[in-house]
Amino acid sequence: MKRLVSLAAAFIMSAALVTSCGQKQEKPVSNPAVSQQSENYEDALKECFDASFSTNGGEAFYSYMYPDAYIQDMKDKGEFDSAVSDFNKQQKNRSDLADNEYTFGQIKDSFPVTDEQITKIKDYFVKQCAERVQLSADNIDITEGYEVSYTYLKNGKEDGNDAAIAVKISGEGWKVIPG
């Protein structure tokens, strides 16, 4: 998820600007992503990883990284489609995605989140949404969650390990917090 964290930081800055920069080049589409179709944390992590290394995964990426209230605010303000488009355009300009294929490897360890972690996770989402919507920790119902370590591959060969937390929020589905 270290790569995902870097990607998320770049993405958040681009979403704030809601502009696109640089030359646009057509590159092969890798790891096609759909929007949050996972039923379990394993599938959620894989789909989020695939979206973050895809040239068309912006919608799925947002769906996993942000609570629905945040996304709805973007939609209400007419910013969501352009933010997804900007994300996808930035992905097309990433030379590492043009020259390499990144895929989710396998889950190494998985532990249910503790009550203490749930409190911190709720606070994380409240802070994440603060610039757009007022969200209370009491309004976030986490029904399931796991702290996970996993491997990822680059061009079919294991390239590293990473970690994340995957939580299921009642009425919203799975969300992924980079480790």
Side-chain angles (χ1 to χ4, degrees), residues 29-70:
V29 174
S30 63
N31 300 329
V34 296
S35 180
Q36 209 174 12
Q37 299 298 313
S38 55
E39 294 185 22
N40 56 51
Y41 77 94
E42 296 97 336
D43 291 345
L45 283 170
K46 182 184 182 315
E47 188 176 0
C48 184
F49 183 92
D50 288 349
S52 66
F53 288 95
S54 172
T55 56
N56 67 338
E59 186 173 348
F61 180 80
Y62 267 112
S63 295
Y64 280 108
M65 300 304 278
Y66 295 97
D68 289 357
Y70 186 96

Side-chain angles (χ1 to χ4, degrees), residues 49 101-105 151-160:
F49 183 92
E101 181 180 1
Y102 293 93
T103 53
F104 187 84
T151 62
Y152 57 90
L153 302 119
K154 178 178 166 183
N155 301 324
K157 296 180 181 178
E158 192 169 315
D159 193 47

Side-chain angles (χ1 to χ4, degrees), residues 59-131:
E59 186 173 348
F61 180 80
Y62 267 112
S63 295
Y64 280 108
M65 300 304 278
Y66 295 97
D68 289 357
Y70 186 96
I71 294 168
Q72 189 59 52
D73 184 70
M74 290 183 74
K75 288 179 178 180
D76 291 347
K77 293 177 179 169
E79 298 170 354
F80 184 74
D81 290 340
S82 63
V84 168
S85 178
D86 288 347
F87 175 91
N88 292 339
K89 287 174 186 173
Q90 285 182 345
Q91 296 296 88
K92 289 176 183 175
N93 289 326
R94 287 182 54 190
S95 62
D96 62 324
L97 293 182
D99 300 333
N100 301 291
E101 181 180 1
Y102 293 93
T103 53
F104 187 84
Q106 65 181 6
I107 293 175
K108 292 289 199 180
D109 288 310
S110 172
F111 303 99
V113 293
T114 64
D115 289 341
E116 183 179 329
Q117 285 174 306
I118 288 173
T119 299
K120 290 179 181 178
I121 291 165
K122 288 180 177 187
D123 289 343
Y124 168 83
F125 285 128
V126 167
K127 288 176 185 170
Q128 189 183 39
C129 291
E131 70 182 51

